[in-house]
């Protein structure tokens, strides 16, 4: 069985500040990890994913995430928040085949 | 250009009245998925089709059915909606079922309200 916990349903940052969205996972098999973003009235869009290899993964829009097996974490970061980053972010885990198990999501709020 | 299209975007139905949600894709992908996302909860996979092969999640209620008449279209049928079925329904597609190599592309969702 696999599960994802996203700490904080809402995270508020100022424009230009560091963004840190937390994700911890549980998996009985080697996990494949994903971050998706959902803008208002739009579908989920893949930001980045970890499958194998380098544990620091770079995605679109300046986001990156680091897979830390010892901490069972896959936190999402961005050095400098932009107003356009305001959205809901979902972390997900998979065994690698078809099924994605999502967290409950974190709403990122960016203030001027 | 829209790649995964869901209709309608908003649907209101009465308790017990059957409802059908539609998803179409222009990607020619083999796999199509339906997720249910209740308010403040994680999207939850209901079932998926690999081509014509239907795969139901173990805890998906019997009230939920799906049809895929061709590669481009997939339908979600709720035979007797209950108040607890009020949710956002997300359709997604991928070229193959392997998420290591492939990506799931999501539609904008249909927001269903059962009264």
């Amino acid at each position: 069985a696999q599960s994802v916990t996203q700490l904080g349903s809402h995270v508020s940052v100022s424009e230009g500040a560091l963004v840190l969205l937390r994700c911890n996972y549980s998996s009985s098999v080697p996990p494949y990890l994903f971050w998706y973003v959902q803008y208002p009235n739009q579908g989920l869009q893949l930001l980045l994913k970890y499958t194998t290899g380098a544990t620091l993964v770079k995605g679109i829009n300046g986001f990156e995430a680091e897979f830390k097996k010892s901490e069972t974490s896959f936190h999402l970061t961005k050095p400098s928040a932009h107003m356009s980053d305001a959205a809901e972010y979902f972390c997900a885990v998979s065994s690698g085949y078809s099924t994605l198990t999502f967290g409950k999501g974190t709403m990122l709020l960016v203030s001027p | 250009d829209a790649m995964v299209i869901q209709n309608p975007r908003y649907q209101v139905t009465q308790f017990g009245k059957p409802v059908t949600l539609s998803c179409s894709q222009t990607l020619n992908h083999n796999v199509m998925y339906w997720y249910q996302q209740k308010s403040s909860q994680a999207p939850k996979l209901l079932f998926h089709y690999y081509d014509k092969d239907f795969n139901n999640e173990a805890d998906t209620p019997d009230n939920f059915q799906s049809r895929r008449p061709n590669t481009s279209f997939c339908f979600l049928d709720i035979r007797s909606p209950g108040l607890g079925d009020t949710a956002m329904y997300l359709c997604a597609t991928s070229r193959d079922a392997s998420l290591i190599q492939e990506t799931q592309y999501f539609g904008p969702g249909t927001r269903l309200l059962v009264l």
Side-chain angles (χ1 to χ4, degrees), chain A residues 54-106:
Chain A
T55 56
L56 181 63
V57 181
K58 295 186 185 299
I60 61 172
N61 302 337
F63 284 94
E64 61 182 37
E66 187 170 12
F67 170 58
K68 292 187 176 181
K69 184 178 179 181
S70 62
E71 298 178 8
T72 61
S73 69
F74 191 56
H75 302 329
L76 182 70
T77 60
K78 181 174 180 178
S80 177
H82 192 273
M83 295 295 288
S84 61
D85 295 326
E88 190 158 22
Y89 292 79
F90 291 90
C91 182
V93 64
S94 172
S95 61
Y97 184 84
S98 70
T99 302
L100 279 171
T101 300
F102 285 92
K104 291 186 177 182
T106 298

Side-chain angles (χ1 to χ4, degrees), chain A residues 37-40 82-89 107-110:
Chain A
V37 61
Q38 187 175 31
Y39 298 101
H82 192 273
M83 295 295 288
S84 61
D85 295 326
E88 190 158 22
Y89 292 79
M107 184 69 71
L108 176 65
L109 307 170
V110 183

Side-chain angles (χ1 to χ4, degrees), chain B residues 28-66:
Chain B
N28 203 33
H29 281 175
N30 290 313
V31 192
M32 295 188 77
Y33 309 79
W34 279 105
Y35 290 83
Q36 179 192 60
Q37 184 182 14
K38 295 185 178 180
S39 181
S40 302
Q41 294 188 25
K44 179 179 177 297
L45 182 65
L46 295 173
F47 27 59
H48 73 277
Y49 274 94
Y50 191 112
D51 196 11
K52 295 180 180 180
D53 184 23
F54 178 69
N55 298 272
N56 198 31
E57 293 301 299
D59 55 356
T60 298
D62 292 340
N63 198 27
F64 290 84
Q65 304 287 319
S66 186

